[in-house]
Amino acid sequence: MFSKAIRWFGASPPRILLLGFSFIIFVGALLLELPIASTNGESTPFIDALFTSTSATCVTGLTVFDTGSYYSVFGHWVILLLVQTGGIGFMTMATLFALILRRRISLRERLILQESLNQGSIEGLVRLVRKVIFYALAIETVGALLYTVRFMIDMPFGRAVYQGVFHSISIFNNAGFDLSGDAASFAKYSTDLYLNIVSMGLIIFGGFGFIVLADLFEIKSKKKLSLHTKVVLSVSAALILVGAIVIFIFEFTNTRSIGDSGFGHKLLVSFFQSVTSRSGGVSTVDIAELRQATQFFLIILMFIGASPGSTGGGIKTTTFAVLVGAVLAMIRGKEDVVLFRLRLAQERVYKAVTVTLFCIGLVMLGTMILATTENAAFLKILFEVTSAFGTVGLSMGLTENLTSAGKLTIIFMMFVGRLGPLTLTYALGPKAGRPLYRHAEGKIIIG
Amino acid sequence: MFSKAIRWFGASPPRILLLGFSFIIFVGALLLELPIASTNGESTPFIDALFTSTSATCVTGLTVFDTGSYYSVFGHWVILLLVQTGGIGFMTMATLFALILRRRISLRERLILQESLNQGSIEGLVRLVRKVIFYALAIETVGALLYTVRFMIDMPFGRAVYQGVFHSISIFNNAGFDLSGDAASFAKYSTDLYLNIVSMGLIIFGGFGFIVLADLFEIKSKKKLSLHTKVVLSVSAALILVGAIVIFIFEFTNTRSIGDSGFGHKLLVSFFQSVTSRSGGVSTVDIAELRQATQFFLIILMFIGASPGSTGGGIKTTTFAVLVGAVLAMIRGKEDVVLFRLRLAQERVYKAVTVTLFCIGLVMLGTMILATTENAAFLKILFEVTSAFGTVGLSMGLTENLTSAGKLTIIFMMFVGRLGPLTLTYALGPKAGRPLYRHAEGKIIIG
Ligand SMILES: [K+]
Ligand SMILES: [K+]
């Protein structure tokens, strides 16, 4: 029976992912429900504990309570552990999936990964996990040190270390949990260049994904970066830049956000919000006070999200690159989608388009449900659902006021937002064999 | 030079479509600008004349003025002529495109069409146009008679005929222009079963498209309907039914719409709004007074729209059917998308997914622009843009208050909404030849 169960798991790796995450979330919810997890010493309603646990494990950062004041130190450590397990667990699994579907990755990426993993061997798997953990911990340690140095100016050493570690783990994992107690989590630091740079750095590195990090740090000659790494780096840079410019222009005269700030401050806030929208989840401005056009633009950034196999969510930068490439090919009347002078297989383009459409469908479904269960402006609902789907954690303020049905919907959106795109891509991967029986071909007219 | 121009046109049929429509719209705008076109005898601002002309030619029905009271009889005839030319012109061109890309249509559809058209011959083309016109005029004549009979109860014979002809042409062409003078165009007839049935019938027949009409009326044995016709009929029926049920449930207790009405009236209003959302554009209830969830649901219906080669817009029922088929195939772990036991070519599925995604991109772009130029609730903007894209003509009341930039954006959306999906599908069609040089294949990770 046991071997049967193992075979059942082995036959479909996404099952391990889905069941593993469900199990972690459930255990997390049980722990967060305990009276010792909250500062008021009372047990938390299960739905709220489940919400926090899902939000932490799926590194989303949407919160029904203020993390800093509601949860005790025990509660904070549970959240941090869930964030770390969820973040690193996902990075490992995503990298593994890419390896299993070997056809998807280039020789170069295989070279990077093969030291870590001899296909099929348990030792290789252990080595891969160890390597992912090493990268994560190394960057988090640097982050914690940099944060602590800054926090020491404001608070006693002990608290500075505590806050440094918490924020470094939370922000590298693109989890968006913070201990600030403000609606706009990092609003009080909005002019602090040092903290802005450290935080943006952690979000960006966390959002690159393991393969890109390994490619960046392990290869001597930068000229020979893999196509995947080149696409991730250039699309990330372009999105951050374009995002910042658009936010800057849209908010320039909005006195409720940065309209009254100086030029440099405006620029810094714009860049930070551009970076954080693509999964980070902490913000230096109150999102609810932005203009409608900016909020809708952030929804698009949140939907695109970070890169594959990273701590961030969304449809991913590479998927977005393929979509842009497909549009450009269409405009030029070309059949092939070309990125960096390399042609993409038609099936990969199809996959990108399908995953995107499926995710749009999910966001629409969630929005539809919340539009019936919640009494709030439509844009606020759309923002909340997209934030949950993209595991971003920004909110226009709806989270705390959600009904129970709304909470369940957002829990569902966080879960499928985190695991859906990867699972779906895997499911769309090359099949082992052709079906024995195929129907005859029919024709209909599209468009 | 003249032969060069002809060759240039012939090389790309979509050009004829785009330039032809642009020309008609421009001429229409010039005519509607004239003082004799309006009841107040003053010349209309060009942007408003352009708006009306585009709305009429693209059979959208969004209006900046009340059609009945602002435009003179001359103005009404210009609008009707634009509607008729735009509607029939599009039906003919769309059918023609399907013929040119012969690979897209089945032997059966070719049999239906080949009497009308020997490929390449001018006579054949004339015969096709004549046949499309015959179908349109026949149905419109029946519609005009049925309307006139009803209107004679309320008004003198002359006016009843005038209104009967106007509404029959407008509504069969899914144009949504009306002479009622109300925001909710047919609100005063919301309990009138006869008028509801006639109007729904005209909208539905107009939305089927020429190939389906020919298939329905010209083939004796109904058992042998083409796959295309089967898909159109079943998807249309399913969408109307599901749409009506959802509207019925969502609005059941909404006293600002049908909450206070009887069961039968509720049902009738739900069915009418379900039908009209998929391109008709006249309504028997004030759309602005519906619940948010209903309005969002109508946005989805408007986006799906009617069937290919019809007077309706949207991504089309067949495209939607392919998307649903693709999702079902994915859930079942099957590679093939199957409709009515016939497998669809992978390239056709890809085309459906791409067209849909491109259209979503267009709606998002339009919404983004209006979010910066207009001062209105987000849902109202999204509704307006989707209505323009889907050539529907329903509105939550934004149209009359649009800024000039907003009007230009909606004009653009009506134009690309009408011509985009067809042109795009054509552009994505099988290419004449492979490119001489192709890039090497590269690999990146999606999702
Ligand atoms: K996050
Ligand atoms: K219409």
Side-chain angles (χ1 to χ4, degrees), chain A residues 103 250 292-293 318 336 341 343 345-346 348-349 353 368 376 378 425 438-446, chain B residues 103 250 292-293 318 336 341 343 345-346 348-350 353 368 376 378 425 438-446:
Chain A
R103 273 202 264 164
F250 282 5
Q292 224 172 227
T318 48
D336 289 337
R341 298 193 180 173
R343 169 172 53 89
Q346 176 78 18
R348 213 161 292 223
V349 179
V353 177
M368 192 79 221
F378 181 78
T425 314
R438 294 184 88 189
H439 289 276
E441 193 181 324
K443 303 199 170 187
I444 58 170
I445 300 156
I446 302 288
Chain B
R103 273 202 263 163
F250 282 5
Q292 224 171 225
T318 49
D336 290 336
R341 298 192 183 174
R343 170 172 53 88
Q346 176 76 16
R348 212 160 292 220
V349 178
Y350 173 69
V353 177
M368 192 79 221
F378 182 79
T425 313
R438 296 184 86 190
H439 288 278
E441 194 181 323
K443 305 201 167 185
I444 59 170
I445 301 157
I446 302 287

Short mmCIF file of all heavy atoms in Angstrom, two decimals, chain A residues 103 250 292-293 318 336 341 343 345-346 348-349 353 368 376 378 425 438-446, chain B residues 103 250 292-293 318 336 341 343 345-346 348-350 353 368 376 378 425 438-446:
data_model
loop_
_atom_site.label_atom_id
_atom_site.label_comp_id
_atom_site.label_asym_id
_atom_site.label_seq_id
_atom_site.Cartn_x
_atom_site.Cartn_y
_atom_site.Cartn_z
N ARG A 103 13.24 18.90 -21.87
CA ARG A 103 13.17 19.56 -23.16
C ARG A 103 13.01 21.07 -23.02
O ARG A 103 13.24 21.82 -23.95
CB ARG A 103 11.97 19.02 -23.94
CG ARG A 103 12.33 17.78 -24.73
CD ARG A 103 11.35 17.61 -25.85
NE ARG A 103 10.31 16.68 -25.47
CZ ARG A 103 9.16 16.57 -26.11
NH1 ARG A 103 8.90 17.35 -27.12
NH2 ARG A 103 8.25 15.69 -25.73
N PHE A 250 1.73 59.44 -13.66
CA PHE A 250 0.35 59.40 -13.19
C PHE A 250 0.17 60.09 -11.84
O PHE A 250 -0.86 60.69 -11.56
CB PHE A 250 -0.14 57.95 -13.09
CG PHE A 250 -0.52 57.34 -14.41
CD1 PHE A 250 -0.32 58.01 -15.60
CD2 PHE A 250 -1.07 56.07 -14.46
CE1 PHE A 250 -0.66 57.44 -16.82
CE2 PHE A 250 -1.43 55.48 -15.68
CZ PHE A 250 -1.21 56.17 -16.85
N GLN A 292 -6.89 56.27 -9.86
CA GLN A 292 -7.49 55.07 -10.44
C GLN A 292 -6.62 54.47 -11.54
O GLN A 292 -6.42 53.25 -11.61
CB GLN A 292 -8.84 55.46 -11.03
CG GLN A 292 -9.92 54.48 -10.71
CD GLN A 292 -11.29 54.97 -11.11
OE1 GLN A 292 -12.21 54.87 -10.33
NE2 GLN A 292 -11.44 55.49 -12.30
N ALA A 293 -6.08 55.35 -12.39
CA ALA A 293 -5.27 54.86 -13.51
C ALA A 293 -4.02 54.16 -12.99
O ALA A 293 -3.59 53.13 -13.53
CB ALA A 293 -4.88 56.02 -14.42
N THR A 318 9.04 35.78 -18.08
CA THR A 318 9.34 35.07 -19.34
C THR A 318 8.06 34.89 -20.16
O THR A 318 8.08 35.05 -21.38
CB THR A 318 9.94 33.70 -19.06
OG1 THR A 318 9.13 33.02 -18.08
CG2 THR A 318 11.35 33.82 -18.52
N ASP A 336 7.61 33.34 -36.77
CA ASP A 336 8.37 32.92 -35.60
C ASP A 336 8.43 34.00 -34.52
O ASP A 336 8.59 35.18 -34.83
CB ASP A 336 9.82 32.58 -35.99
CG ASP A 336 9.87 31.29 -36.80
OD1 ASP A 336 8.92 30.49 -36.65
OD2 ASP A 336 10.82 31.11 -37.55
N ARG A 341 17.50 36.87 -30.80
CA ARG A 341 17.90 36.14 -32.00
C ARG A 341 17.72 34.63 -31.90
O ARG A 341 18.35 33.86 -32.61
CB ARG A 341 19.34 36.45 -32.38
CG ARG A 341 19.49 37.92 -32.70
CD ARG A 341 20.79 38.21 -33.35
NE ARG A 341 20.87 39.63 -33.63
CZ ARG A 341 21.96 40.22 -34.08
NH1 ARG A 341 23.03 39.52 -34.31
NH2 ARG A 341 21.96 41.51 -34.30
N ARG A 343 14.74 31.64 -31.87
CA ARG A 343 13.35 31.36 -32.16
C ARG A 343 12.74 30.49 -31.06
O ARG A 343 13.40 29.62 -30.52
CB ARG A 343 13.29 30.61 -33.49
CG ARG A 343 11.96 30.00 -33.86
CD ARG A 343 12.03 29.48 -35.30
NE ARG A 343 13.16 28.57 -35.50
CZ ARG A 343 13.11 27.24 -35.30
NH1 ARG A 343 12.01 26.69 -34.86
NH2 ARG A 343 14.16 26.48 -35.52
N ALA A 345 9.92 27.70 -29.87
CA ALA A 345 9.06 26.68 -30.45
C ALA A 345 7.61 27.14 -30.33
O ALA A 345 7.22 27.73 -29.33
CB ALA A 345 9.26 25.35 -29.73
N GLN A 346 6.83 26.86 -31.37
CA GLN A 346 5.41 27.23 -31.40
C GLN A 346 4.69 26.74 -30.14
O GLN A 346 3.86 27.44 -29.57
CB GLN A 346 4.79 26.62 -32.67
CG GLN A 346 3.30 26.83 -32.82
CD GLN A 346 2.97 28.22 -33.30
OE1 GLN A 346 3.81 28.93 -33.81
NE2 GLN A 346 1.72 28.63 -33.10
N ARG A 348 5.77 26.41 -27.22
CA ARG A 348 6.09 27.22 -26.04
C ARG A 348 5.30 28.52 -26.07
O ARG A 348 4.84 29.02 -25.05
CB ARG A 348 7.59 27.51 -26.01
CG ARG A 348 8.12 27.60 -24.61
CD ARG A 348 9.61 27.41 -24.61
NE ARG A 348 9.94 26.04 -24.97
CZ ARG A 348 10.87 25.33 -24.35
NH1 ARG A 348 11.54 25.86 -23.36
NH2 ARG A 348 11.13 24.12 -24.72
N VAL A 349 5.15 29.09 -27.26
CA VAL A 349 4.34 30.30 -27.41
C VAL A 349 2.89 29.98 -27.02
O VAL A 349 2.25 30.72 -26.27
CB VAL A 349 4.40 30.83 -28.87
CG1 VAL A 349 3.53 32.06 -29.01
CG2 VAL A 349 5.83 31.13 -29.25
N VAL A 353 0.67 31.74 -24.00
CA VAL A 353 -0.62 32.37 -24.25
C VAL A 353 -1.71 31.68 -23.43
O VAL A 353 -2.56 32.33 -22.82
CB VAL A 353 -0.94 32.33 -25.76
CG1 VAL A 353 -2.31 32.92 -26.04
CG2 VAL A 353 0.11 33.09 -26.54
N MET A 368 -15.53 38.07 -9.88
CA MET A 368 -16.97 37.82 -10.00
C MET A 368 -17.55 37.40 -8.65
O MET A 368 -18.59 37.90 -8.23
CB MET A 368 -17.13 36.67 -11.02
CG MET A 368 -18.51 36.43 -11.50
SD MET A 368 -18.93 37.64 -12.75
CE MET A 368 -20.60 37.96 -12.24
N ALA A 376 -18.05 46.59 -2.00
CA ALA A 376 -16.91 47.50 -2.19
C ALA A 376 -16.81 47.90 -3.65
O ALA A 376 -17.38 47.23 -4.52
CB ALA A 376 -15.62 46.82 -1.75
N PHE A 378 -15.62 48.26 -7.40
CA PHE A 378 -15.15 47.19 -8.26
C PHE A 378 -13.63 47.15 -8.37
O PHE A 378 -13.01 46.09 -8.29
CB PHE A 378 -15.75 47.37 -9.66
CG PHE A 378 -15.35 46.30 -10.62
CD1 PHE A 378 -15.95 45.06 -10.57
CD2 PHE A 378 -14.35 46.52 -11.54
CE1 PHE A 378 -15.58 44.04 -11.44
CE2 PHE A 378 -13.96 45.52 -12.42
CZ PHE A 378 -14.57 44.29 -12.36
N THR A 425 1.68 24.83 -16.30
CA THR A 425 2.73 24.72 -17.29
C THR A 425 3.22 23.28 -17.36
O THR A 425 3.49 22.75 -18.44
CB THR A 425 3.93 25.62 -16.91
OG1 THR A 425 3.42 26.88 -16.53
CG2 THR A 425 4.86 25.80 -18.08
N ARG A 438 -7.76 9.04 -31.64
CA ARG A 438 -7.99 10.47 -31.82
C ARG A 438 -9.21 10.68 -32.69
O ARG A 438 -9.45 9.92 -33.62
CB ARG A 438 -6.78 11.14 -32.50
CG ARG A 438 -5.53 11.12 -31.66
CD ARG A 438 -4.43 11.89 -32.37
NE ARG A 438 -4.46 13.30 -32.05
CZ ARG A 438 -3.71 14.20 -32.68
NH1 ARG A 438 -2.93 13.85 -33.67
NH2 ARG A 438 -3.75 15.46 -32.32
N HIS A 439 -9.95 11.75 -32.39
CA HIS A 439 -11.10 12.07 -33.20
C HIS A 439 -10.66 12.61 -34.55
O HIS A 439 -9.54 13.09 -34.70
CB HIS A 439 -11.95 13.13 -32.49
CG HIS A 439 -12.67 12.61 -31.29
ND1 HIS A 439 -13.87 11.97 -31.37
CD2 HIS A 439 -12.35 12.62 -29.98
CE1 HIS A 439 -14.26 11.62 -30.17
NE2 HIS A 439 -13.35 12.00 -29.29
N ALA A 440 -11.56 12.57 -35.54
CA ALA A 440 -11.28 13.18 -36.83
C ALA A 440 -11.25 14.69 -36.66
O ALA A 440 -11.84 15.24 -35.72
CB ALA A 440 -12.37 12.79 -37.83
N GLU A 441 -10.55 15.36 -37.57
CA GLU A 441 -10.41 16.80 -37.43
C GLU A 441 -11.64 17.53 -37.96
O GLU A 441 -12.16 17.21 -39.02
CB GLU A 441 -9.16 17.28 -38.17
CG GLU A 441 -8.80 18.70 -37.77
CD GLU A 441 -7.57 19.21 -38.52
OE1 GLU A 441 -6.66 18.42 -38.77
OE2 GLU A 441 -7.56 20.41 -38.84
N GLY A 442 -12.11 18.53 -37.20
CA GLY A 442 -13.24 19.35 -37.64
C GLY A 442 -12.78 20.78 -37.84
O GLY A 442 -11.73 21.17 -37.36
N LYS A 443 -13.56 21.56 -38.55
CA LYS A 443 -13.14 22.94 -38.82
C LYS A 443 -14.24 23.94 -38.48
O LYS A 443 -15.39 23.76 -38.87
CB LYS A 443 -12.76 23.09 -40.30
CG LYS A 443 -11.68 22.11 -40.68
CD LYS A 443 -10.98 22.50 -41.95
CE LYS A 443 -9.76 21.61 -42.12
NZ LYS A 443 -8.92 22.02 -43.22
N ILE A 444 -13.86 24.97 -37.75
CA ILE A 444 -14.80 26.07 -37.53
C ILE A 444 -14.06 27.37 -37.77
O ILE A 444 -12.84 27.39 -37.86
CB ILE A 444 -15.41 26.08 -36.11
CG1 ILE A 444 -14.31 26.17 -35.07
CG2 ILE A 444 -16.31 24.89 -35.88
CD1 ILE A 444 -14.85 26.43 -33.69
N ILE A 445 -14.82 28.44 -37.86
CA ILE A 445 -14.23 29.74 -38.16
C ILE A 445 -14.07 30.53 -36.87
O ILE A 445 -15.01 30.65 -36.08
CB ILE A 445 -15.12 30.51 -39.16
CG1 ILE A 445 -15.24 29.68 -40.44
CG2 ILE A 445 -14.57 31.89 -39.45
CD1 ILE A 445 -16.48 29.99 -41.24
N ILE A 446 -12.87 31.03 -36.70
CA ILE A 446 -12.55 31.80 -35.50
C ILE A 446 -12.57 33.28 -35.85
O ILE A 446 -12.21 33.66 -36.94
CB ILE A 446 -11.12 31.45 -35.02
CG1 ILE A 446 -10.97 29.96 -34.75
CG2 ILE A 446 -10.70 32.29 -33.84
CD1 ILE A 446 -11.67 29.50 -33.54
N ARG B 103 -8.70 26.55 -46.27
CA ARG B 103 -8.38 25.49 -45.33
C ARG B 103 -9.22 25.59 -44.07
O ARG B 103 -9.33 24.64 -43.32
CB ARG B 103 -6.90 25.58 -44.95
CG ARG B 103 -6.03 24.82 -45.92
CD ARG B 103 -4.74 24.48 -45.25
NE ARG B 103 -3.72 25.45 -45.60
CZ ARG B 103 -2.61 25.61 -44.92
NH1 ARG B 103 -2.36 24.89 -43.86
NH2 ARG B 103 -1.70 26.50 -45.30
N PHE B 250 -28.82 37.29 -9.85
CA PHE B 250 -28.14 38.47 -9.32
C PHE B 250 -29.09 39.64 -9.08
O PHE B 250 -28.91 40.41 -8.15
CB PHE B 250 -27.03 38.93 -10.29
CG PHE B 250 -25.78 38.11 -10.22
CD1 PHE B 250 -25.70 36.98 -9.42
CD2 PHE B 250 -24.65 38.47 -10.97
CE1 PHE B 250 -24.54 36.22 -9.37
CE2 PHE B 250 -23.49 37.72 -10.91
CZ PHE B 250 -23.43 36.59 -10.12
N GLN B 292 -23.32 45.55 -9.23
CA GLN B 292 -21.95 45.50 -9.73
C GLN B 292 -21.62 44.13 -10.34
O GLN B 292 -21.00 44.04 -11.39
CB GLN B 292 -21.00 45.77 -8.57
CG GLN B 292 -19.91 46.71 -8.92
CD GLN B 292 -19.11 47.15 -7.71
OE1 GLN B 292 -18.84 48.32 -7.57
NE2 GLN B 292 -18.70 46.22 -6.87
N ALA B 293 -22.04 43.08 -9.63
CA ALA B 293 -21.73 41.73 -10.11
C ALA B 293 -22.40 41.47 -11.46
O ALA B 293 -21.80 40.86 -12.35
CB ALA B 293 -22.19 40.70 -9.09
N THR B 318 -17.64 30.98 -31.49
CA THR B 318 -16.80 29.83 -31.85
C THR B 318 -15.46 29.90 -31.11
O THR B 318 -14.95 28.88 -30.64
CB THR B 318 -16.53 29.79 -33.36
OG1 THR B 318 -16.10 31.09 -33.77
CG2 THR B 318 -17.78 29.41 -34.12
N ASP B 336 -5.97 16.74 -27.27
CA ASP B 336 -6.82 17.27 -28.33
C ASP B 336 -8.02 18.03 -27.80
O ASP B 336 -8.65 17.61 -26.84
CB ASP B 336 -7.34 16.13 -29.21
CG ASP B 336 -6.22 15.53 -30.05
OD1 ASP B 336 -5.23 16.24 -30.28
OD2 ASP B 336 -6.34 14.36 -30.44
N ARG B 341 -17.38 15.68 -31.14
CA ARG B 341 -16.60 14.51 -31.56
C ARG B 341 -15.67 14.78 -32.73
O ARG B 341 -15.28 13.87 -33.45
CB ARG B 341 -17.53 13.34 -31.91
CG ARG B 341 -18.31 12.91 -30.69
CD ARG B 341 -19.00 11.62 -30.91
NE ARG B 341 -19.78 11.29 -29.73
CZ ARG B 341 -20.60 10.26 -29.66
NH1 ARG B 341 -20.71 9.45 -30.68
NH2 ARG B 341 -21.26 10.03 -28.56
N ARG B 343 -12.00 16.71 -33.67
CA ARG B 343 -10.81 17.30 -33.10
C ARG B 343 -10.48 18.60 -33.83
O ARG B 343 -10.65 18.70 -35.04
CB ARG B 343 -9.67 16.29 -33.29
CG ARG B 343 -8.29 16.78 -33.00
CD ARG B 343 -7.32 15.61 -33.05
NE ARG B 343 -7.40 14.85 -34.31
CZ ARG B 343 -6.70 15.14 -35.40
NH1 ARG B 343 -5.89 16.16 -35.42
NH2 ARG B 343 -6.81 14.40 -36.50
N ALA B 345 -7.65 21.37 -35.04
CA ALA B 345 -6.20 21.47 -35.27
C ALA B 345 -5.59 22.36 -34.20
O ALA B 345 -6.19 23.37 -33.80
CB ALA B 345 -5.93 22.03 -36.66
N GLN B 346 -4.42 21.99 -33.74
CA GLN B 346 -3.71 22.74 -32.71
C GLN B 346 -3.57 24.22 -33.11
O GLN B 346 -3.73 25.11 -32.29
CB GLN B 346 -2.31 22.11 -32.53
CG GLN B 346 -1.39 22.82 -31.55
CD GLN B 346 -1.77 22.54 -30.11
OE1 GLN B 346 -2.50 21.60 -29.82
NE2 GLN B 346 -1.29 23.36 -29.20
N ARG B 348 -5.54 26.01 -34.78
CA ARG B 348 -6.80 26.73 -34.62
C ARG B 348 -7.04 27.07 -33.15
O ARG B 348 -7.54 28.14 -32.82
CB ARG B 348 -7.94 25.87 -35.15
CG ARG B 348 -9.05 26.69 -35.74
CD ARG B 348 -9.87 25.84 -36.66
NE ARG B 348 -9.10 25.48 -37.84
CZ ARG B 348 -9.61 25.46 -39.07
NH1 ARG B 348 -10.86 25.78 -39.26
NH2 ARG B 348 -8.87 25.12 -40.09
N VAL B 349 -6.66 26.15 -32.28
CA VAL B 349 -6.77 26.41 -30.85
C VAL B 349 -5.85 27.58 -30.49
O VAL B 349 -6.24 28.51 -29.78
CB VAL B 349 -6.39 25.16 -30.03
CG1 VAL B 349 -6.46 25.46 -28.54
CG2 VAL B 349 -7.29 24.00 -30.39
N TYR B 350 -4.65 27.52 -31.02
CA TYR B 350 -3.69 28.60 -30.78
C TYR B 350 -4.25 29.94 -31.24
O TYR B 350 -4.14 30.95 -30.56
CB TYR B 350 -2.38 28.29 -31.50
CG TYR B 350 -1.38 29.42 -31.45
CD1 TYR B 350 -0.77 29.77 -30.26
CD2 TYR B 350 -1.08 30.15 -32.59
CE1 TYR B 350 0.13 30.82 -30.20
CE2 TYR B 350 -0.18 31.19 -32.54
CZ TYR B 350 0.42 31.52 -31.35
OH TYR B 350 1.30 32.56 -31.29
N VAL B 353 -6.94 31.23 -28.82
CA VAL B 353 -6.35 31.73 -27.58
C VAL B 353 -5.66 33.07 -27.83
O VAL B 353 -5.80 34.02 -27.06
CB VAL B 353 -5.36 30.68 -27.01
CG1 VAL B 353 -4.67 31.20 -25.79
CG2 VAL B 353 -6.09 29.39 -26.70
N MET B 368 -7.24 51.68 -19.67
CA MET B 368 -6.11 52.43 -19.12
C MET B 368 -6.18 53.89 -19.56
O MET B 368 -6.04 54.81 -18.75
CB MET B 368 -4.83 51.78 -19.67
CG MET B 368 -3.56 52.20 -19.03
SD MET B 368 -3.36 51.33 -17.48
CE MET B 368 -2.74 52.68 -16.51
N ALA B 376 -14.50 59.01 -13.78
CA ALA B 376 -15.66 58.14 -13.56
C ALA B 376 -15.22 56.87 -12.87
O ALA B 376 -14.04 56.53 -12.88
CB ALA B 376 -16.32 57.82 -14.90
N PHE B 378 -14.33 53.12 -12.05
CA PHE B 378 -13.59 52.20 -12.91
C PHE B 378 -14.49 51.24 -13.67
O PHE B 378 -14.31 51.01 -14.86
CB PHE B 378 -12.59 51.40 -12.06
CG PHE B 378 -11.76 50.46 -12.85
CD1 PHE B 378 -10.67 50.91 -13.57
CD2 PHE B 378 -12.07 49.11 -12.91
CE1 PHE B 378 -9.90 50.05 -14.32
CE2 PHE B 378 -11.30 48.24 -13.67
CZ PHE B 378 -10.22 48.71 -14.37
N THR B 425 -7.44 37.37 -37.21
CA THR B 425 -7.57 35.95 -37.54
C THR B 425 -7.02 35.70 -38.94
O THR B 425 -6.35 34.70 -39.20
CB THR B 425 -9.06 35.53 -37.51
OG1 THR B 425 -9.64 36.03 -36.32
CG2 THR B 425 -9.18 34.02 -37.51
N ARG B 438 15.38 31.31 -40.86
CA ARG B 438 14.78 31.21 -39.53
C ARG B 438 15.88 31.20 -38.48
O ARG B 438 16.94 30.62 -38.69
CB ARG B 438 13.96 29.92 -39.39
CG ARG B 438 12.77 29.86 -40.30
CD ARG B 438 11.98 28.60 -40.02
NE ARG B 438 11.02 28.80 -38.93
CZ ARG B 438 10.35 27.79 -38.38
NH1 ARG B 438 10.57 26.55 -38.75
NH2 ARG B 438 9.48 28.02 -37.43
N HIS B 439 15.61 31.81 -37.35
CA HIS B 439 16.57 31.79 -36.26
C HIS B 439 16.65 30.40 -35.65
O HIS B 439 15.72 29.60 -35.78
CB HIS B 439 16.14 32.79 -35.18
CG HIS B 439 16.33 34.21 -35.59
ND1 HIS B 439 17.53 34.86 -35.50
CD2 HIS B 439 15.46 35.11 -36.11
CE1 HIS B 439 17.39 36.09 -35.94
NE2 HIS B 439 16.14 36.28 -36.32
N ALA B 440 17.75 30.12 -34.96
CA ALA B 440 17.88 28.86 -34.24
C ALA B 440 16.89 28.88 -33.07
O ALA B 440 16.49 29.94 -32.59
CB ALA B 440 19.30 28.69 -33.73
N GLU B 441 16.51 27.70 -32.60
CA GLU B 441 15.53 27.65 -31.54
C GLU B 441 16.15 27.88 -30.17
O GLU B 441 17.21 27.33 -29.85
CB GLU B 441 14.80 26.30 -31.55
CG GLU B 441 13.55 26.33 -30.70
CD GLU B 441 12.84 24.99 -30.66
OE1 GLU B 441 12.80 24.31 -31.68
OE2 GLU B 441 12.34 24.64 -29.58
N GLY B 442 15.52 28.72 -29.35
CA GLY B 442 16.00 28.97 -27.99
C GLY B 442 14.98 28.45 -26.99
O GLY B 442 13.84 28.21 -27.34
N LYS B 443 15.39 28.29 -25.76
CA LYS B 443 14.46 27.74 -24.77
C LYS B 443 14.42 28.58 -23.50
O LYS B 443 15.46 28.94 -22.95
CB LYS B 443 14.89 26.32 -24.41
CG LYS B 443 14.99 25.43 -25.62
CD LYS B 443 14.91 23.99 -25.28
CE LYS B 443 14.71 23.18 -26.55
NZ LYS B 443 14.50 21.77 -26.32
N ILE B 444 13.23 28.89 -23.05
CA ILE B 444 13.09 29.53 -21.76
C ILE B 444 12.00 28.83 -20.99
O ILE B 444 11.25 28.03 -21.55
CB ILE B 444 12.76 31.04 -21.87
CG1 ILE B 444 11.47 31.23 -22.63
CG2 ILE B 444 13.89 31.81 -22.48
CD1 ILE B 444 10.98 32.66 -22.57
N ILE B 445 11.91 29.13 -19.73
CA ILE B 445 10.94 28.45 -18.88
C ILE B 445 9.73 29.34 -18.69
O ILE B 445 9.87 30.52 -18.35
CB ILE B 445 11.58 28.12 -17.52
CG1 ILE B 445 12.79 27.22 -17.75
CG2 ILE B 445 10.57 27.47 -16.60
CD1 ILE B 445 13.79 27.26 -16.62
N ILE B 446 8.59 28.76 -18.92
CA ILE B 446 7.33 29.50 -18.81
C ILE B 446 6.66 29.14 -17.49
O ILE B 446 6.77 28.02 -17.03
CB ILE B 446 6.38 29.08 -19.96
CG1 ILE B 446 7.02 29.33 -21.32
CG2 ILE B 446 5.03 29.76 -19.84
CD1 ILE B 446 7.11 30.76 -21.70
#
